[in-house]
Structure formats: structure tokens, C-alpha cells
């Protein structure tokens, strides 16, 4: 979900700036808040559909039991996606080109995944006793 939020938000805004259509949007009757909401709300929808898909596959296909509240999972996921959108918007404002935004996004995303612990497994070695 973080990858979707970062990638789509970062590249959408920078691409608008590269194509020159961001200036056209700024002179339109839209307020800045409406412009930001228009760029971020579709990403929130996509990320939440991704959450439902992942949760459904985990529970139905892999038979992983869901313990806890679906509402709490949705609320925490919404907060997580909004934080990802904020970081994506920050990256898009400091980047001038799509390539720069993409590399900056991965400079944030890869350490975040590594330090989160979700990409590593706890491996225990069986103790071998010599007799």
C-alpha cells in the first residue's frame, strides 16, 4: 500500500509539472485544496481497494484467520495511506523531473521497507550438540 501511495502521488504531480499542465490547473477556478484532493483521493481509493483485495486473498485463499476488527484495520490503513500520500506530495514538490522523483521515492521506500521488519524473517538455527 505504501508503494501505491508513493508511486502514484509522486509521479502524478511531477508529470503534470513536466508536461506544463500544472500551470493550466493553477489558473483554473480550482482552489489549491481542491487540486490536491483531486490528485490524492483517487490514490486513496486505489490503495483501499488494494487493502480489500490483499485481505480477501489472505483470508480466503491462504486461510489466514482474521483476528481483530475490520473497522480498526481500515482506519489504521487509511492513516497509513494518508501518511504515504503526504510523503509522495513532499517528494513531488522537491523534484523537478520524473526520474528524480522516482529515485527519491525509492530512496525513501527501500529503507522504510527494510527497517519495518516486513521483509525479513526470524530464522533460528537448531542447536547442534556434539556428543
Amino acid at each position: 500500500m505504501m508503494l501505491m501511495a508513493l508511486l502514484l502521488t509522486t509521479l502524478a504531480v511531477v508529470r503534470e509539472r513536466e508536461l506544463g499542465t500544472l500551470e493550466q490547473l493553477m489558473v483554473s477556478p480550482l482552489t489549491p485544496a481542491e487540486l490536491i484532493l483531486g490528485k490524492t483521493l483517487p490514490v486513496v481509493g486505489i490503495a483501499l481497494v488494494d487493502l480489500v483485495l490483499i485481505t480477501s486473498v489472505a483470508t480466503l485463499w491462504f486461510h489466514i484467520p482474521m483476528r481483530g476488527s475490520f473497522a480498526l484495520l481500515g482506519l489504521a490503513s487509511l492513516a497509513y495511506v494518508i501518511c504515504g500520500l503526504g510523503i509522495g506530495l513532499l517528494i513531488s514538490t522537491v523534484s523537478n523531473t520524473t526520474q528524480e522523483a522516482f529515485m527519491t521515492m525509492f530512496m525513501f521506500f527501500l529503507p522504510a521497507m527494510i527497517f519495518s521488519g516486513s521483509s525479513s524473517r526470524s530464522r533460528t538455527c537448531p542447536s547442534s550438540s556434539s556428543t
Side-chain angles (χ1 to χ4, degrees), residues 15-131:
R15 188 79 176 141
E16 292 281 342
R17 186 181 305 137
E18 277 187 349
L19 293 175
T21 56
L22 189 62
E23 287 81 14
Q24 292 174 353
L25 289 173
M26 292 176 120
V27 297
S28 69
L30 292 173
T31 64
E34 291 172 343
L35 179 64
I36 290 174
L37 283 175
K39 289 290 181 187
T40 55
L41 283 180
V43 177
V44 171
I46 291 170
L48 292 179
V49 167
D50 192 30
L51 169 72
V52 170
L53 181 67
I54 290 169
T55 306
S56 299
V57 168
T59 55
L60 299 174
W61 186 295
F62 293 110
H63 304 291
I64 298 173
M66 175 63 187
R67 296 194 176 110
S69 169
F70 282 110
L72 183 61
L73 175 66
L75 186 65
S77 298
L78 182 64
Y80 185 73
V81 167
I82 289 172
C83 289
L85 290 174
I87 294 168
L89 285 173
L90 175 69
I91 291 171
S92 69
T93 57
V94 299
S95 301
N96 295 323
T97 64
T98 305
Q99 291 86 8
E100 182 183 353
F102 196 72
M103 290 299 155
T104 307
M105 187 226 12
F106 269 105
M107 278 180 34
F108 172 79
F109 179 71
L110 290 178
M113 285 303 295
I114 291 169
F115 292 143
S116 71
S118 64
S119 63
S120 64
R121 286 190 242 177
S122 172
R123 296 180 188 241
T124 58
C125 298
S127 62
S128 60
S129 59
S130 59
T131 54

